[in-house]
Amino acid sequence: IRKSPEKQKFNMSNNTVDDKTLLGDYEEKPDIWASAAHNKIPDDAWEYQIRKSLNDAAYNGLDYVPYCSTMPVQENAEEGVKFMWKKKGAK
């Protein structure tokens, strides 16, 4: 859930509720990518190491990026960090 810059109105029957009412004092937390970004690819990440040595299409066209797999997302994830292939330059 992300706050929008302008208030959104939700019409539920005859009641109108704005996002401040729905979210209260919602505080934006880091996303799954930002919280794990500081982690390095481990030496035992066999799929990455094999694709790198073969210089194959996945290695050339994708990034192998860390993400936080825990909920709620931790500030600086150390535990629950996993890696996945993601299109280069994608957010």
Side-chain angles (χ1 to χ4, degrees):
I1 298 175
R2 302 258 186 224
K3 272 190 171 180
S4 63
E6 48 194 76
K7 287 192 173 193
Q8 294 178 349
K9 298 287 182 179
F10 300 96
N11 189 354
M12 296 181 283
S13 347
N14 294 330
N15 300 328
T16 303
V17 180
D18 63 25
D19 65 345
K20 180 69 173 167
T21 305
L22 291 174
L23 298 174
D25 292 330
Y26 172 76
E27 187 178 310
E28 193 167 323
K29 299 290 183 187
D31 62 14
I32 63 172
W33 312 109
S35 67
H38 66 280
N39 288 281
K40 302 292 182 212
I41 298 171
D43 293 333
D44 64 349
W46 61 269
E47 182 186 8
Y48 173 81
Q49 302 300 343
I50 290 172
R51 290 185 182 278
K52 181 179 176 183
S53 68
L54 294 173
N55 199 27
D56 78 345
Y59 179 76
N60 291 323
L62 302 171
D63 284 327
Y64 198 60
V65 295
Y67 69 96
C68 179
S69 64
T70 63
M71 287 294 165
V73 175
Q74 305 164 15
E75 285 290 326
N76 287 316
E78 295 297 331
E79 293 181 25
V81 174
K82 296 182 181 179
F83 286 79
M84 68 177 285
W85 293 100
K86 189 175 173 185
K87 185 176 180 181
K88 286 191 179 200
K91 289 188 175 189

